[in-house]
Amino acid sequence: MVIVITGVTRGLGRALAEECIAAGHTVVGCGRSGEGVIDLRFAHAAPHDFSVVDVTQMTKVELWADRVIGMRGAPDILVNNAALMNTPAPLWQVPQGEFDKLMAVNVGGVANVIRAFVPAMITRGTGVIVNLSSGWGRSVSPEVAPYCASKWAIEGLTQALAAELPAGMAAVPLNPGVIDTEMLRQCWSDEASAYPKADAWAKVAAPFILGLNAKHNGQSLSVGGDEG
């Protein structure tokens, strides 16, 4: 299978990419870190492919998608993983610029990638779109209101997309669970060490995601939970 993953240079995206490659699949990914992309290119030669792409820039996303689809065809699985976390603070203390940037990546970036890749998947008639949500997309905590808002938006956006897709396809909002990543440490500091590392998470998450199909369309799922 061809799997497209955004936010692939670190954290969950990197771990998921490594696990999917190890399972014999072709991974095409993007990230903001040029250094991370170069590292991935050295580690994994063609047919895998990695690019520096800002998902908030529609023109750049379209150019990337056109190249990927031209070379590899429409992806079998599209994973929207790229996301930012706000610096923990009460909502009224979060600067407008920080709020706007987070929403542009976490919501706008997902919509941009969907616009660029999903039409080709619809033309083919098959494919799964996995939009990473969060426990904070189904509940809330203080001082992370912008992140909560973005992930609640992902839940709604994905449910609506699921209702729009033709039979044979699926869109799934997926809660990855609580994992010891740089993003979690931004919120919980050293307390994050009590949770699994990204590599351990990916060993469960990769087969879970690879097992998703049309019957899961519109289901709000969690890694390690019931696949329906």
Side-chain angles (χ1 to χ4, degrees):
M1 288 196 287
V2 175
I3 303 161
V4 170
I5 305 173
T6 67
V8 78
T9 58
R10 62 179 184 171
L12 303 188
R14 176 65 183 260
L16 182 61
E18 297 283 0
E19 199 64 29
C20 289
I21 290 170
H25 301 285
T26 298
V27 172
V28 178
C30 76
R32 293 175 295 161
S33 167
E35 183 178 348
V37 165
I38 290 171
D39 182 56
L40 279 163
R41 287 178 177 175
F42 274 113
H44 303 291
H48 313 294
D49 188 78
F50 304 97
S51 302
V52 177
V53 180
D54 180 348
V55 294
T56 70
Q57 302 296 314
M58 187 65 216
T59 299
K60 294 179 180 179
V61 173
E62 286 178 329
L63 289 171
W64 174 55
D66 287 347
R67 185 175 68 82
V68 170
I69 293 167
M71 294 172 60
R72 305 280 183 265
D76 298 290
I77 301 177
L78 172 62
V79 181
N80 276 300
N81 164 70
L84 300 177
M85 171 62 72
N86 64 282
T87 302
L91 178 58
W92 59 89
Q93 293 179 9
V94 177
Q96 179 184 355
E98 183 177 356
F99 183 95
D100 291 350
K101 183 177 180 180
L102 181 149
M103 296 300 286
V105 173
N106 295 15
V107 183
V110 171
N112 288 344
V113 173
I114 287 170
R115 288 189 197 99
F117 281 98
V118 170
M121 298 168 75
I122 290 173
T123 297
R124 189 186 56 206
T126 59
V128 176
I129 302 103
V130 178
N131 296 329
L132 286 201
S133 179
S134 170
W136 285 335
R138 302 169 191 175
S139 64
V140 297
S141 288
E143 301 198 332
V144 288
Y147 185 79
C148 290
S150 73
K151 293 303 183 179
W152 280 73
I154 288 301
E155 290 281 332
L157 179 150
T158 311
Q159 294 285 354
L161 174 63
E164 296 164 349
L165 292 174
M169 296 184 65
V172 175
L174 182 66
N175 172 17
V178 183
I179 309 101
D180 182 5
T181 61
E182 182 179 329
M183 183 179 289
L184 190 66
R185 286 178 177 268
Q186 189 175 343
C187 300
W188 290 356
S189 191
D190 289 342
E191 293 180 22
S193 64
Y195 295 92
K197 302 289 187 184
D199 290 349
W201 168 84
K203 292 187 181 303
V204 177
F208 186 92
I209 290 170
L210 292 168
L212 297 175
N213 55 50
K215 75 176 184 179
H216 300 106
N217 188 37
Q219 297 182 25
S220 289
L221 300 177
S222 299
V223 170
D226 184 5
E227 291 186 69

